[in-house]
Amino acid sequence: MENILVNKIVAQIIGILAILIFALSPQQKTKQKVLIFQLISSILYGLQYFILGAFSAVVINIIGAIKEFWFYLYAKKESKIPLKILLIYIIAVIIAGMFTYTDIFSVFPTILAILMTYATWQKNLKNFRILSIISSISWIIYNFVVGAYVNAIGNLFQLISAIIAVIRLDIMKSNN
């Protein structure tokens, strides 16, 4: 019993780190840094869900980490990510979503993973930040529906960070 409690505490600490790192990703000025932050966050989320035994979330995060790694390699070379790679990841997420489907709300993570895959695929960081806002709002709704209130609070931090990034890096920068 004590070991289970320790695992849950460790999982929550890892989840908090994942939330913080993901929340910092829209604040980055280069796509490479955005992708590094998201890669680390996906790995931490995957580890958290593994400890908690939520294997469908582990699969989605593994797919996300692989995507972020490949997208990072392309961003590092400053070359465009081929459409076929985007489509491969979208198909992988859809297949994972089909295998983990339990109810209408279980479709949310699949749709949001596709949205964020597109957000990181395209080059425009302003669009990425706007899609991050949409994704954060959607995750807040989803997490409240499923009772994941701590994650909803984390999504609120991500939302605030994305809004600040839009103001700081897009609106204020364009005014200068």
Side-chain angles (χ1 to χ4, degrees):
M1 186 69 161
E2 184 178 307
N3 197 22
I4 293 171
L5 180 61
V6 169
N7 284 348
K8 287 188 178 193
I9 292 170
V10 168
Q12 297 309 312
I13 292 169
I14 292 170
I16 290 168
L17 288 173
I19 288 167
L20 293 173
I21 291 169
F22 188 83
L24 291 173
S25 69
Q27 298 294 331
Q28 305 311 305
K29 292 183 180 180
T30 67
K31 188 164 186 173
Q32 292 94 329
K33 288 183 181 178
V34 166
L35 291 165
I36 289 170
F37 275 70
Q38 289 191 340
L39 171 65
I40 294 167
S41 179
S42 289
I43 291 168
L44 291 172
Y45 274 126
L47 181 58
Q48 175 197 27
Y49 288 125
F50 179 79
I51 292 169
L52 294 173
F55 297 110
S56 60
V58 172
V59 171
I60 290 291
N61 279 284
I62 289 171
I63 291 169
I66 293 168
K67 171 204 59 155
E68 285 132 10
F69 175 74
W70 280 104
F71 283 18
Y72 170 78
L73 292 178
Y74 278 94
K76 188 176 177 183
K77 291 190 264 182
E78 296 184 11
S79 57
K80 185 175 180 176
I81 301 161
L83 180 61
K84 67 181 177 183
I85 290 181
L86 172 69
L87 295 176
I88 289 169
Y89 287 108
I90 289 174
I91 291 167
V93 167
I94 290 170
I95 291 169
M98 289 171 33
F99 281 109
T100 60
Y101 178 85
T102 54
D103 59 27
I104 192 68
F105 294 111
S106 67
V107 176
F108 260 66
T110 301
I111 293 170
L112 295 172
I114 291 169
L115 175 69
M116 289 312 294
T117 297
Y118 172 76
T120 54
W121 172 75
Q122 56 86 41
K123 285 189 172 191
N124 188 323
L125 286 178
K126 181 178 181 178
N127 289 342
F128 166 77
R129 289 186 271 275
I130 291 168
L131 291 171
S132 293
I133 290 171
I134 294 167
S135 177
S136 295
I137 292 168
S138 301
W139 275 111
I140 289 168
I141 294 166
Y142 172 78
N143 283 323
F144 269 110
V145 167
V146 301
Y149 303 117
V150 171
N151 284 355
I153 292 168
N155 298 130
L156 181 61
F157 288 125
Q158 293 165 353
L159 173 63
I160 292 167
S161 175
I163 291 170
I164 291 169
V166 165
I167 293 168
R168 184 174 73 89
L169 298 171
D170 300 322
I171 295 172
M172 292 180 75
K173 183 178 177 182
S174 69
N175 288 342
N176 292 336

